[in-house]
Amino acid sequence: HVWGNLSCSLYILPSTEKKYAKEFEKAVQNLRYGTIGINVWTGLGYSMSTPWGAHPGNTLRDIQSGIGFVHNPHFLDNIEKSIYRAPFQLLMGTKLPWFAGSKNSDQFWKMVCQFETEPNVASTTGLLW
């Protein structure tokens, strides 16, 4: 069990999604997160003009990821979740550092650790390569 219900990302190959389309859609609908990214980082949802917040149902006794939504320019009522979808692809065959088999994964995670232990301009610049 994972504590919190703000957001989660799912990554799925097109062939797998096609093969298990009904099961996948049911799984997404059953997820209790305020923002769900399918083949996309949920942090992008924070910058979009859609609501951002925890899945409904939290209480002050069990606050989890908060109560309510922000970034609701259309004043939508009774929001359950925002779902973002993107195709599963990488530009020019690039493997991002958090994907298995990435050539720069080791170096990237070393820079993340450096940033976490000593946040400064140098450690931030290293992450933006």
Side-chain angles (χ1 to χ4, degrees):
H1 180 72
V2 177
W3 188 85
N5 55 8
L6 182 61
S7 67
C8 73
S9 294
L10 304 171
Y11 296 89
I12 187 167
L13 293 169
S15 58
T16 305
E17 186 173 2
K18 184 176 180 180
K19 184 175 180 179
Y20 300 102
K22 288 181 183 177
E23 295 87 349
F24 183 70
E25 288 305 315
K26 184 176 180 180
V28 170
Q29 291 307 313
N30 288 335
L31 286 171
R32 296 182 48 81
Y33 291 92
T35 300
I36 298 170
I38 301 171
N39 298 326
V40 66
W41 176 48
T42 58
L44 296 176
Y46 185 78
S47 65
M48 303 293 192
S49 62
T50 56
W52 175 265
H55 193 275
N58 296 339
T59 66
L60 292 176
R61 291 175 90 41
D62 185 18
I63 199 71
Q64 301 252 348
S65 297
I67 296 174
F69 282 82
V70 296
H71 302 183
N72 187 2
H74 302 291
F75 302 105
L76 301 171
D77 290 328
N78 303 314
I79 301 164
E80 181 179 332
K81 62 180 93 172
S82 297
I83 301 174
Y84 295 86
R85 289 181 181 263
F88 186 91
Q89 66 183 29
L90 299 173
L91 300 175
M92 300 178 290
T94 304
K95 286 195 174 185
L96 299 173
W98 46 86
F99 282 99
S102 170
K103 292 178 184 174
N104 60 352
S105 181
D106 290 345
Q107 182 62 30
F108 174 78
W109 293 114
K110 286 178 185 173
M111 288 188 283
V112 169
C113 290
Q114 180 69 30
F115 172 76
E116 290 291 332
T117 57
E118 298 177 40
N120 57 45
V121 173
S123 62
T124 304
T125 304
L127 287 172
L128 301 176
W129 83 98

